[in-house]
Amino acid sequence: MAEELVKFRRVIDSIDSKLTKLLIERLKVISMVAEVKKKYGLNAYDAKRIEEILANVRKIAENENFNPKLVEEIYRIIIDYCIKFEKKLLGLNTNA
């Protein structure tokens, strides 16, 4: 039983590693987005884009028979952090 558990934990660790790397990649792209927004004087917060993201991830969750509310909660945390990060890059906020 213990070896079986170890195998599953290795899989979970691998998934966690991939998720972390994807979050880092997302922040790198947000850095590029911030440069474009700075160039054109755009705000970090874009309510329409946020709703698009949330609708997309809810739909993905629903299509996979997974809890869309949970996915939305997770993405709201990610988006909130990304907005703070973007504001910092735009020189608007240093709390990220």
Side-chain angles (χ1 to χ4, degrees):
M1 182 173 94
E3 185 59 34
E4 211 175 357
L5 190 57
V6 169
K7 288 178 186 178
F8 288 129
R9 287 181 176 168
R10 284 188 193 130
V11 173
I12 290 170
D13 290 346
S14 175
I15 293 167
D16 289 343
S17 175
K18 290 173 187 173
L19 284 170
T20 302
K21 288 176 183 177
L22 286 171
L23 287 170
I24 292 166
E25 184 178 342
R26 191 179 202 283
L27 288 175
K28 288 178 182 176
V29 173
I30 286 177
S31 295
M32 292 182 272
V33 168
E35 288 179 26
V36 173
K37 286 183 175 182
K38 191 170 193 172
K39 179 179 176 181
Y40 293 102
L42 301 174
N43 292 324
Y45 184 84
D46 182 344
K48 182 180 175 191
R49 177 64 180 142
I50 292 168
E51 190 47 48
E52 286 174 4
I53 293 167
L54 294 174
N56 286 339
V57 297
R58 282 191 305 263
K59 185 175 182 178
I60 292 167
E62 289 167 0
N63 290 342
E64 296 293 329
N65 295 315
F66 192 72
N67 184 341
K69 289 182 181 181
L70 174 61
V71 171
E72 181 175 342
E73 283 181 41
I74 292 167
Y75 266 83
R76 284 193 183 276
I77 293 167
I78 292 168
I79 290 167
D80 287 346
Y81 180 83
C82 290
I83 290 169
K84 289 176 187 173
F85 179 72
E86 204 173 309
K87 284 181 176 181
K88 182 178 178 182
L89 294 174
L90 293 171
L92 301 173
N93 186 330
T94 58
N95 293 332

